[in-house]
Amino acid sequence: MNKELMNRYLHAVGRHLPDKGREDILRELESDLLERMEDGQTPSGEAGTDDGKLEILLKEFGSPDE
C-alpha cells in the first residue's frame, strides 16, 4: 500500500480541522481507510491492487478541501 499517498491525504484533511480533536479525527479516518482496504474491496465494489484500491477509496472519500 502506498503509505505516502495516505499520509498526504491525511495531512491535507488535517489542515482543515480545528486543533482540538484533530489527531483523534485523523486516527479514525486512517483506521477507517485501513479497515476498508483490509475488506478487499472499495465502496464501489472494485477490487485490484492495494495502491489502486487506496486511490479509489480516497476519490470516494472526497477532496480533502471539502
Side-chain angles (χ1 to χ4, degrees):
M1 176 182 54
N2 190 337
K3 190 70 171 169
E4 181 182 338
L5 177 60
M6 183 182 293
N7 287 338
R8 285 192 322 233
Y9 184 82
L10 294 171
H11 178 75
V13 169
R15 290 182 302 154
H16 300 285
L17 298 173
D19 290 340
K20 185 175 182 178
R22 176 184 298 149
E23 293 302 317
D24 289 337
I25 293 168
L26 292 176
R27 271 194 299 277
E28 286 293 322
L29 178 57
E30 180 178 22
S31 176
D32 191 26
L33 285 166
L34 292 172
E35 184 177 308
R36 290 174 188 233
M37 291 286 296
E38 289 176 9
D39 287 346
Q41 290 192 335
T42 64
S44 64
E46 295 181 42
T49 66
D50 283 349
D51 287 349
K53 287 188 282 188
L54 179 59
E55 288 177 19
I56 292 166
L57 276 171
L58 294 179
K59 285 179 186 175
E60 292 182 353
F61 267 56
S63 168
D65 296 330
E66 295 174 1

